Amino acid sequence: MTQIPAARTTPASLSPLSTTVAGPAGGPGVLLAHGATGSVRDNYGTLIPALTATGHRVVAPDYPGSGQTPRAKGPLELDALADAVVAEAVAAGQETFTAIGFSMGTAVAVRAAARHPERVRGLVLTAGLARANARARIWVDLWLRLLERDDYQGFAQARTLAALSPAALDALAPAELAAYLDPDPTLPQAGSAEQAALVKALDTTADLPGLAVPTLVVATTLDPLIDPSHSRYLADHIPGAEYVEIATGHLPMVERNAEWLALIGDFLAARGL
């Protein structure tokens, strides 16, 4: 993987995005949109090599406050974030691409497709949502309160409870559980608060009926954070969307990685994306 220099035009409200570009030049383009409080490395560390192995050219920007991207100077806005990730793909030479979103990244991908229909050729939406329900807002409010108080132990506990299915959590070895619960204040992404706040504000419900690209919606059926009914809503309201389920918590790349990668790879191959 190579780092693309950040000297390019992005929306004025955002810092330039640090972007990983991988795979053969000229391969089918894929743009990755990660989840709130996550990063490209956290969410797509297994997907990027799987995609490049099948000849895809992958563009994976880190949002403000994730990875090497500086924090935003104010609240994040969905339109600006969608425009910024699309700009990274174009700057990397990808005129058209499939947008793959995870969690909050599904809203970024949907908004990118709605605002840039000439560029987005397909969508893959995992553990996503069009608009936060009461449960998601309560989780986000809890995260924000813990971050505001610098309660990094509480934040690690809350994120762990939200991330994993009960069976996966119980199956962790002691050292693995300790790593999830590590209260080190340097471990959360620097932009976690701004990204989490965007989850409460986003709403792509009006975008969905106008989408006209092949779409795969992957529901995480044991998800404590984003109930699978959100994925069902996405699939029901995006014309022609395919819907599949994985019996996992919020992190399929952790609990059911091989199955998740296969679903994405098979969809891209079948649709010529």
Side-chain angles (χ1 to χ4, degrees), residues 90-186:
V90 174
Q94 299 306 123
E95 294 296 324
T96 63
F97 42 83
T98 299
I100 296 180
F102 165 71
S103 192
M104 185 190 79
T106 62
V108 177
V110 164
R111 185 58 54 84
R115 289 173 65 83
H116 304 276
E118 76 286 0
R119 299 205 181 277
V120 179
R121 300 175 57 232
L123 289 167
V124 178
L125 311 174
T126 299
L129 74 168
R131 181 172 57 197
N133 63 358
R135 182 182 184 86
R137 290 194 298 270
I138 290 170
W139 271 119
V140 170
D141 282 340
L142 176 59
W143 291 357
L144 291 172
R145 185 176 304 109
L146 293 169
L147 289 170
E148 183 180 2
R149 297 177 179 178
D150 296 331
D151 184 352
Y152 295 105
Q153 182 174 24
F155 181 72
Q157 291 172 328
R159 275 198 62 181
T160 300
L161 287 172
L164 300 174
S165 67
L169 183 56
D170 287 342
L172 291 177
E176 293 173 318
L177 180 59
Y180 273 99
L181 298 178
D182 190 338
D184 183 344
T186 67

Side-chain angles (χ1 to χ4, degrees), residues 7 29 36-37 51 56 65 74 90 106 129 132 148 169 195 199-201 204 221 240 256 261 263 272-273:
T37 78
L51 291 171
H56 288 86
V90 174
T106 62
L129 74 168
E148 183 180 2
L169 183 56
Q195 295 173 23
V199 175
K200 290 181 62 178
T204 64
T221 61
R256 304 290 290 270
L261 296 181
L263 286 171
L273 298 171

Side-chain angles (χ1 to χ4, degrees), residues 78 103-108 110-111 125-133 136-137 198-209 211 217 226-235 237-238:
L78 187 60
S103 192
M104 185 190 79
T106 62
V108 177
V110 164
R111 185 58 54 84
L125 311 174
T126 299
L129 74 168
R131 181 172 57 197
N133 63 358
R137 290 194 298 270
L198 179 56
V199 175
K200 290 181 62 178
L202 65 84
D203 186 347
T204 64
T205 54
D207 297 331
L208 305 180
L211 299 178
V217 177
I226 303 297
D227 188 84
S229 62
H230 288 284
S231 288
R232 182 73 262 178
Y233 182 93
L234 291 170
H237 290 81
I238 298 174

